[in-house]
Structure formats: structure tokens, C-alpha cells
Amino acid sequence: MFRVFARSGPGGVSVILATAAAALRKVEEFRDDGFRTVSVLDASGATINEAELTAMAQAESKGRCHEA
């Protein structure tokens, strides 16, 4: 589980997503929507940087390919 926070000025929004891939897509969506600050937390509340999130999303993708 991942929580993605986005802030722009005094306003902000937060969403909870099940996978790293979904969280990465939401980060990109928030940035495209003009949010200045976007951060991601894992289920334990630890901050995850974008490189780590990308690696997790890639690992999820590879895991699905091997399940078939």
C-alpha cells in the first residue's frame, strides 16, 4: 500500500493506492495537474523517493510476467 500526497500552495490531496505502479502513475498525474510538491509514503509511513518507487513498480511488473 502506498499513500501519495500532493500539495500546491495551501491546498493538498492524498490518495491510497495498492501497487507501486499505480502510485507512480498518480505521481505523474499530480505533476501534470500542476501540483508543486508530490511525495509517496509506504505502508509503514516511510518516505519513498521516485527512483525506489520506479524500481518497485518494475519488480511488480516482472513478478506478474513470471506468474503465468
Side-chain angles (χ1 to χ4, degrees):
M1 180 176 69
F2 300 88
R3 177 171 276 178
V4 181
F5 290 98
R7 296 188 69 70
S8 183
V13 66
S14 168
V15 295
I16 297 173
L17 300 152
T19 66
L24 188 60
R25 286 190 301 272
K26 184 55 75 174
V27 166
E28 293 169 359
E29 180 182 327
F30 281 154
R31 285 198 181 129
D32 289 346
D33 289 345
F35 285 95
R36 292 183 202 144
T37 304
V38 180
S39 58
V40 180
L41 304 177
D42 67 11
S44 70
T47 301
I48 300 172
N49 67 40
E50 194 166 347
E52 292 172 317
L53 188 61
T54 299
M56 290 176 182
Q58 290 171 345
E60 288 173 354
S61 176
K62 288 179 183 177
R64 287 194 190 106
C65 291
H66 293 121
E67 290 175 4

